[in-house]
Amino acid sequence: MKLVVRVIGARKLPAMDLNGLSNPYVRLKLGKQKFRSKVVKKNLNPQWEEEFSFQVDDLKDQLVISVMDEDKYFNDDFMGRLKLPVSLIFDSESKSLGTAWYSLRPKKKKSKNKDCGQIHLSIHFLEKKSVREMKSNGDQVSDLRKQADVTFESPSRSIDFLEQPEIAKLEVDENNPEDQSSSYSFEEAMRKIETRDEGSENPSNLPGGVLLDQLYIIAPPDLNTLLFSPDSSFPKSLADLQGTTELQVGPWKFENDGDILKRSLTYIKAATKLLKAVKGFEDQKYVKADGKNFAILATVSTPDVMYGSTFRTELLFCISPGPELPSGDQSSYLVISWRMNFVQSTMMKGMIENGARLGLKESFNEYASFLSQNVKPVDSKDLGSSKEQVLVSLRPTQSDWKLGLQYFANFHVVSTVFLGLYVAFHILFAAPSTIQGLEFVGLDLPDSVGEFIVCGVLVLQGERLFELISRFLQARVQKGSDHGIKAQGEGWLLTVALIEGSNLAVVDSAGFSDPYVVLTCNGKTRTSSIKFQKSDPQWNEIFEFVAMDEPPSVLDVEVYDFDGPFDEVTSLGHAEINFLKTNISNLTDIWVPLEGKLALACQSKLHLRIFLENTRGSNVVKEYLSKMEKEVGKKISLRSPQTNSAFQKLFGLPPEEFLINDFTCHLKRKMPLQGRLFLSARIIGFHANLFGRKTKFFFVWEDVDHIQVVHPTLSSMGSPIIVITLRQGRGLDARHGAKTQDEEGRLKFHFQSFVSFNVAQRTIMALWKAKSLSPEQKVQIVEESGAKCLVTEESGSFLGLDDVSMSEIYSSSLSVPTSFFMELFSGGDVDRRVMEKAGYIDYSNTPWVTENGEVFERQVYYRFDRLISLYRGEVTSTQQRSPLLDRNGWLVEEVMALHRVPLGDYFNLHLQYQIEDIPSKAKQCKLKVFFGIEWLKNTRHQKRITKNILKNLLDRLKVILSAVEKEYVIR
């Protein structure tokens, strides 16, 4: 015989911690059989809803039920206990005690606190029968349900089984009426539970995995009714399809004072190749129901299978609204996830989970197929225009009147208008005055100091009002701006809509900040406009990135406070959107929390809408592999869908990721670990399984800072080693696979013992180069293109020096001859050393090329040191060298384009270096420097930017000239 104990819940449990709460769970013991329920955190009125089965061999045994409080650091605390003789349950009517509340007792009789709360139990005997007997007795489940609804009405007779074990009487709380079956219809029950929904978030998917994730053309309430209404024919039809028999569906009932809506189901599952037909018990409970979102938790137990008493299978059905379709129909997301809840430890845990996973996958494939026959799934073609619909919503919804009110509704405008009207009416009503003093006809000077002050104030007020009107017109034009940058080409298109920011940090003394956002993906950068004096800015700007051959890995988002291109900047927060770890479908509309000290303190967030799409299908993959074949020098075959699927599942990658190659190798840590190295367009991953102990990690190519090949040594067992060094602070998820960490905090990974080292090395280097080009490669690209100037898509076109107003910013005599000073523009050792001392990193240049007779031209590239600019921006420059007209010196003209600095795409810098000989002093020369800015876009902060650039330029110029004089002395 089997004794079934269902632990429903408890109430009025004693508080065990300082916060007045407890973490209760239940222990059950019958003879040598022991079970334990799950822990309910911080609750004195917990709900467990778990069922346990005991094999009864002796009616003299006692069922001991203890309620404990979990303590992570010390022994668990005792809260209360209940003892029931098995003979009492066996001798009762129908061998059942029904459902009742029982008082818990302390361990000792002399305990001061005898009020230990109450526990809600359902206890009955279940005789084990064969499948034939279960089929012949179809009313068994309903009989047991009737027995389970029996309660004891003995409020005055509370029995302590420790004191009087021979007496078999139970206590029932008089304030707890019998749970009555709800008389509500399903629609009424939904409306009632909707009114009690507290607006909590939808529960997250269960950790076992997702069985179904599909979008259907149906409203969420209608889908909920189809799947869970008692009047729906869907469950019965599905049971017939899957061979499930004797389906008994109980009514939906409210429990716990109407807070919980649940029902019970019983059925006999069809026999499979591995298992015979088995009876299942299922409890369904609404976790959330607010009229739009529905979440139902189903707990399934099959006690008759092998080890069936040790686990429960939990399924979570989540229904949420989907996007509105172009046809106007509503849509719903249905996500079904699962997990295995082990109520008792067992060595067969892995086997049970694997078996359940296979069975559930097969069952819910049939479920999805049958549901698709009743409800039409949404095809991707139906969502083709969703991107355009979402971006259309970014068009300015704010009227010109509201925008004008935002700019002009302040004291300054009101006072200016009042003062202007006051003066106008005064002029209107005042009599003409006689000409006096130094006045003449047509000239009316102020006659007093007061009149002079009023005139000055009126002029200043009018100037300020004119600036406000100018800003208003500019803001009106930029509403919903897309910066005029459209994606070109075919491949992977990335579109980012920057909506707004929330709770950005304040860094100005006025209590505001001037935020702007920098978006970086695959080396391309987009910069938003600056929102002046805003802590909750609204951009509504759209950024598109030029089509990429391979899918992007990471989108870096950085928020800065604007203080000038070269001034020390303040980062208001940063975030990283990893396309490999995030489902692309979930990126349509997201709030991104920012990281950083200021951002975390203020809980700053950015509102983004991100779209990533492939416009060429599988051709992108084939073209990318063709390009890699030229780099590697070896044929690379496209892997099969099965191999790619296994690769994606191994590392949890999205469906668009494809495997390029994999190699057997050793990961060198303290001990070599043999495994496989996997290479794809976006990641490099490693996996090993040694005696069941798995090692798995991956990092993206953009995180790689350096790749080094160490030649074979005795310590490496005659095998060369590939050392991959990540950038500082990157790849922390793969920290356990790194061998060392250098002084800068960069992780180093060592791979060796490749079967074909040359192929592995060439493949790794080719994939890395595809993601990051060195400065020399950039200069080489410019040379091959034959361009006369290095101009990026952000910097605009080259106009020439004649179109820019130049002014002299420096003039001085230097203690070096003209010939030596020109070494600064030669491209030799002096040129490189001086530039490195000035803080220019990765300095490189092309040779001088004759353009027109005595005019020579070259291109220059370098990066700013962190001490010059925290942005670590880049400079591409075109220089022209020609002799002066009197042949007494040289003229060097330069056009500079700044990249990755604030507003760098708004201007180009123009410089002229005029170097002349001094006839009386052979070892000296005279230098004049002229400066001008070519504005490519209009901005009201031209003076501010010019002042900032000029100050930095003069500082750098003094450092360079000092270094040139020192080089001359050394030589």
Side-chain angles (χ1 to χ4, degrees):
M1 290 186 300
K2 280 191 176 182
L3 177 64
V4 179
V5 180
R6 185 180 178 190
V7 181
I8 302 173
R11 64 185 179 186
K12 300 179 182 179
L13 296 178
M16 305 303 292
D17 58 15
L18 298 177
N19 296 326
L21 296 172
S22 300
N23 302 319
Y25 67 92
V26 180
R27 287 179 180 174
L28 300 94
K29 180 180 179 182
L30 180 62
K32 296 183 178 181
Q33 304 175 65
K34 298 179 181 179
F35 294 100
R36 171 177 169 167
S37 72
K38 63 184 178 182
V39 179
V40 180
K41 298 290 185 180
K42 298 181 180 181
N43 200 326
L44 298 180
N45 299 288
Q47 293 290 324
W48 288 287
E49 300 291 347
E50 295 188 55
E51 192 172 82
F52 306 93
S53 299
F54 296 90
Q55 185 68 36
V56 179
D57 298 323
D58 191 350
L59 295 178
K60 295 180 181 180
D61 290 338
Q62 279 189 333
L63 174 65
V64 181
I65 301 175
S66 303
V67 181
M68 308 294 292
D69 174 54
E70 185 185 49
D71 194 325
K72 292 184 178 180
Y73 306 104
F74 302 98
N75 293 332
D76 295 346
D77 299 322
F78 177 85
M79 303 179 69
R81 179 168 60 186
L82 174 67
K83 287 187 177 182
L84 292 173
V86 176
S87 58
L88 169 67
I89 308 170
F90 186 79
D91 295 337
S92 62
E93 183 180 357
S94 301
K95 296 182 175 56
S96 172
L97 295 182
T99 303
W101 287 92
Y102 301 90
S103 294
L104 298 171
R105 297 298 179 190
K107 275 187 177 181
K108 299 180 181 179
K109 301 178 184 178
K110 298 181 180 181
S111 177
K112 294 181 180 180
N113 185 15
K114 293 188 178 182
D115 186 9
C116 299
Q118 297 174 328
I119 188 168
H120 199 191
L121 303 173
S122 175
I123 307 174
H124 63 273
F125 268 101
L126 178 65
E127 295 184 3
K128 190 173 182 180
K129 299 182 180 182
S130 64
V131 177
R132 293 182 180 179
E133 291 174 337
M134 293 170 68
K135 290 183 178 180
S136 63
N137 189 10
D139 297 332
Q140 180 183 12
V141 175
S142 59
D143 291 342
L144 290 176
R145 191 168 303 284
K146 292 178 181 178
Q147 296 169 12
D149 291 336
V150 177
T151 59
F152 291 86
E153 299 180 358
S154 304
S156 61
R157 294 182 289 177
S158 176
I159 305 300
D160 189 341
F161 290 102
L162 287 174
E163 298 179 0
Q164 303 173 356
E166 71 280 0
I167 303 176
K169 297 180 180 178
L170 306 173
E171 176 189 8
V172 179
D173 181 38
E174 59 185 356
N175 296 323
N176 180 62
E178 179 183 354
D179 292 336
Q180 299 292 333
S181 178
S182 174
S183 59
Y184 297 97
S185 65
F186 183 72
E187 291 75 14
E188 293 173 341
M190 287 294 101
R191 287 194 293 269
K192 181 178 179 181
I193 196 172
E194 179 182 346
T195 58
R196 299 197 176 195
D197 192 283
E198 299 178 353
S200 59
E201 296 183 356
N202 290 336
S204 56
N205 294 334
L206 298 182
V210 175
L211 300 170
L212 177 63
D213 186 354
Q214 182 61 48
L215 185 63
Y216 294 95
I217 306 178
I218 187 174
D222 296 337
L223 182 58
N224 175 60
T225 302
L226 174 67
L227 300 182
F228 299 102
S229 174
D231 300 330
S232 174
S233 60
F234 178 80
K236 296 179 181 179
S237 302
L238 178 65
D240 295 338
L241 176 67
Q242 295 180 339
T244 303
T245 58
E246 297 188 20
L247 175 64
Q248 299 290 331
V249 181
W252 288 102
K253 294 182 180 181
F254 281 102
E255 295 185 0
N256 194 19
D257 297 330
D259 291 337
I260 299 177
L261 181 63
K262 61 183 304 182
R263 71 175 178 180
S264 299
L265 298 84
T266 58
Y267 42 79
I268 297 178
K269 294 184 177 181
T272 64
K273 296 179 180 179
L274 300 178
L275 297 174
K276 62 179 181 180
V278 63
K279 191 166 189 178
F281 300 87
E282 181 174 343
D283 289 332
Q284 295 179 352
K285 177 176 66 174
Y286 272 91
V287 180
K288 181 176 181 59
D290 60 3
K292 295 182 179 179
N293 298 274
F294 303 89
I296 299 90
L297 180 64
T299 304
V300 183
S301 61
T302 51
D304 292 337
V305 301
M306 185 177 298
Y307 300 98
S309 59
T310 63
F311 66 89
R312 305 286 184 271
T313 305
E314 295 183 355
L315 301 168
L316 181 62
F317 297 77
C318 288
I319 303 173
S320 58
E324 184 177 352
L325 303 177
S327 61
D329 297 330
Q330 298 186 45
S331 62
S332 303
Y333 281 109
L334 174 61
V335 180
I336 305 176
S337 56
W338 75 285
R339 72 176 174 190
M340 193 67 71
N341 185 12
F342 285 89
V343 297
Q344 187 177 353
S345 61
T346 172
M347 296 179 62
M348 307 300 293
K349 180 178 179 180
M351 187 184 72
I352 294 173
E353 285 184 333
N354 292 333
R357 183 180 291 107
L358 294 176
L360 288 172
K361 185 176 181 181
E362 180 180 355
S363 176
F364 277 91
N365 285 339
E366 297 178 354
Y367 183 99
S369 177
F370 184 68
L371 181 59
S372 300
Q373 299 175 13
N374 293 267
V375 183
K376 182 182 177 182
V378 177
D379 191 0
S380 58
K381 297 179 181 179
D382 299 331
L383 295 174
S385 60
S386 61
K387 171 184 173 181
E388 287 72 16
Q389 292 179 354
V390 172
L391 295 181
V392 164
S393 65
L394 296 183
R395 292 182 177 177
T397 57
Q398 188 180 26
S399 65
D400 292 339
W401 286 103
K402 291 183 179 180
L403 187 61
L405 187 64
Q406 176 183 347
Y407 275 83
F408 299 119
N410 53 64
F411 175 77
H412 176 80
V413 176
V414 174
S415 61
T416 302
V417 173
F418 175 78
L419 186 60
L421 292 176
Y422 180 81
V423 173
F425 279 107
H426 171 74
I427 295 174
L428 180 64
F429 292 108
S433 60
T434 60
I435 298 176
Q436 54 185 339
L438 300 177
E439 296 178 346
F440 53 84
V441 178
L443 178 65
D444 188 7
L445 298 176
D447 297 332
S448 65
V449 176
E451 290 184 5
F452 179 78
I453 294 175
V454 170
C455 292
V457 170
L458 187 60
V459 171
L460 294 177
Q461 293 281 82
E463 182 182 1
R464 175 61 176 162
L465 181 60
F466 178 77
E467 291 181 359
L468 284 176
I469 294 174
S470 177
R471 287 181 58 187
F472 166 73
L473 295 177
Q474 185 178 3
R476 184 175 178 272
V477 172
Q478 291 183 352
K479 284 193 304 181
S481 173
D482 61 358
H483 291 254
I485 300 174
K486 297 296 183 181
Q488 300 177 355
E490 294 184 351
W492 291 95
L493 292 180
L494 176 62
T495 304
V496 182
L498 174 62
I499 311 298
E500 58 186 325
S502 174
N503 299 326
L504 297 185
V506 174
V507 295
D508 294 344
S509 58
F512 294 97
S513 56
D514 303 329
Y516 66 96
V517 181
V518 178
L519 306 171
T520 305
C521 183
N522 277 15
K524 299 294 183 181
T525 300
R526 299 286 182 265
T527 304
S528 74
S529 61
I530 301 171
K531 297 299 178 182
F532 296 96
Q533 296 186 347
K534 295 287 185 180
S535 58
D536 295 314
Q538 289 190 353
W539 281 280
N540 287 343
E541 298 175 2
I542 302 171
F543 306 90
E544 294 189 26
F545 291 81
V546 176
M548 296 162 275
D549 292 336
E550 66 275 3
S553 309
V554 175
L555 173 66
D556 290 319
V557 182
E558 189 88 23
V559 184
Y560 294 103
D561 178 65
F562 176 72
D563 277 325
F566 291 102
D567 276 358
E568 183 177 355
V569 296
T570 302
S571 175
L572 303 182
H574 60 89
E576 178 186 275
I577 299 173
N578 194 318
F579 296 113
L580 292 163
K581 299 180 180 178
T582 308
N583 191 349
I584 294 177
S585 62
N586 296 332
L587 292 175
T588 304
D589 194 298
I590 57 173
W591 278 91
V592 181
L594 299 179
E595 298 179 359
K597 293 182 179 180
L598 294 176
L600 292 176
C602 300
Q603 297 184 350
S604 304
K605 295 186 295 184
L606 280 184
H607 189 189
L608 302 176
R609 291 176 182 169
I610 303 175
F611 302 90
L612 181 62
E613 55 185 344
N614 180 8
T615 60
R616 288 190 298 187
S618 60
N619 290 334
V620 175
V621 179
K622 295 178 180 178
E623 293 179 5
Y624 183 79
L625 292 180
S626 300
K627 183 176 67 175
M628 288 298 102
E629 287 177 356
K630 298 178 182 178
E631 295 284 344
V632 177
K634 186 178 183 299
K635 178 68 176 178
I636 300 177
S637 303
L638 181 64
R639 299 302 180 93
S640 66
Q642 294 80 8
T643 304
N644 277 323
S645 177
F647 166 66
Q648 296 158 6
K649 185 177 180 180
L650 177 63
F651 293 102
L653 301 173
E656 65 271 8
E657 193 65 15
F658 56 93
L659 178 64
I660 293 178
N661 211 338
D662 60 308
F663 303 95
T664 301
C665 67
H666 282 90
L667 173 67
K668 188 176 181 182
R669 295 184 294 186
K670 291 183 179 180
M671 293 291 293
L673 178 65
Q674 184 174 0
R676 295 194 73 83
L677 189 68
F678 296 86
L679 306 177
S680 73
R682 293 191 287 184
I683 75 159
I684 177 170
F686 180 81
H687 176 263
N689 188 351
L690 184 62
F691 301 111
R693 184 177 180 85
K694 297 180 180 180
T695 301
K696 180 175 63 175
F697 62 85
F698 74 88
F699 46 83
V700 298
W701 288 106
E702 283 88 343
D703 292 344
V704 178
D705 186 43
H706 182 65
I707 297 179
Q708 177 186 5
V709 177
V710 179
H711 296 292
T713 60
L714 184 62
S715 60
S716 64
M717 298 175 291
S719 172
I721 302 176
I722 297 178
V723 181
I724 299 179
T725 305
L726 304 188
R727 298 187 316 186
Q728 185 178 3
R730 295 289 187 168
L732 298 181
D733 294 342
R735 187 189 297 110
H736 61 279
K739 183 178 186 298
T740 57
Q741 188 172 2
D742 62 11
E743 298 176 353
E744 299 180 7
R746 301 182 303 175
L747 299 176
K748 292 180 176 291
F749 298 81
H750 292 232
F751 301 98
Q752 66 180 78
S753 301
F754 291 92
V755 176
S756 179
F757 178 80
N758 292 332
V759 175
Q761 179 195 2
R762 290 200 303 268
T763 306
I764 292 173
M765 295 301 295
L767 291 171
W768 181 45
K769 287 180 180 179
K771 287 291 184 179
S772 58
L773 295 176
S774 64
E776 291 76 14
Q777 290 173 319
K778 292 182 179 180
V779 173
Q780 182 180 358
I781 292 175
V782 173
E783 290 179 343
E784 293 174 354
S785 63
K788 293 186 178 181
C789 60
L790 296 181
V791 181
T792 64
E793 61 187 0
E794 292 95 350
S795 62
S797 60
F798 176 72
L799 299 179
L801 295 175
D802 295 337
D803 301 323
V804 180
S805 175
M806 308 289 289
S807 59
E808 183 177 335
I809 61 172
Y810 185 86
S811 177
S812 177
S813 296
L814 303 179
S815 300
V816 295
T818 303
S819 58
F820 184 84
F821 185 84
M822 290 304 296
E823 291 288 327
L824 183 62
F825 303 99
S826 64
D829 295 337
V830 174
D831 188 0
R832 185 175 301 276
R833 285 198 300 268
V834 169
M835 290 303 175
E836 289 177 354
K837 291 179 181 179
Y840 299 152
I841 305 174
D842 296 333
Y843 182 84
S844 58
N845 57 271
T846 62
W848 289 101
V849 179
T850 303
E851 285 293 317
N852 183 14
E854 297 179 333
V855 179
F856 296 83
E857 185 173 298
R858 71 170 184 173
Q859 283 80 38
V860 178
Y861 169 86
Y862 54 86
R863 293 190 297 113
F864 291 122
D865 182 73
R866 188 176 182 85
L867 298 176
I868 300 178
S869 174
L870 292 180
Y871 301 96
R872 296 185 179 181
E874 299 178 356
V875 172
T876 54
S877 172
T878 300
Q879 295 179 350
Q880 287 186 353
R881 183 187 67 185
S882 60
L884 296 177
L885 296 178
D886 56 0
R887 305 283 178 173
N888 197 29
W890 293 88
L891 177 66
V892 178
E893 298 172 315
E894 182 176 14
V895 178
M896 300 171 58
L898 306 183
H899 313 287
R900 297 187 180 181
V901 297
L903 301 182
D905 55 341
Y906 276 61
F907 55 84
N908 281 338
L909 305 182
H910 293 246
L911 294 170
Q912 282 184 355
Y913 301 88
Q914 185 174 328
I915 307 100
E916 298 179 356
D917 295 328
I918 301 179
S920 59
K921 298 179 182 180
K923 296 185 178 180
Q924 292 187 7
C925 67
K926 186 176 181 180
L927 172 67
K928 291 183 179 180
V929 181
F930 299 85
F931 170 77
I933 294 184
E934 170 200 344
W935 293 100
L936 305 177
K937 299 180 183 179
N938 293 326
T939 173
R940 69 184 188 89
H941 292 277
Q942 292 185 3
K943 292 183 179 179
R944 181 178 176 181
I945 294 173
T946 303
K947 181 179 178 181
N948 181 269
I949 294 176
L950 187 57
K951 178 180 178 300
N952 184 275
L953 183 62
L954 289 174
D955 293 340
R956 293 300 98 203
L957 185 61
K958 292 177 182 178
V959 174
I960 291 174
L961 297 180
S962 177
V964 171
E965 291 178 343
K966 291 181 180 179
E967 287 286 336
Y968 180 72
V969 172
I970 294 174
R971 179 172 291 191

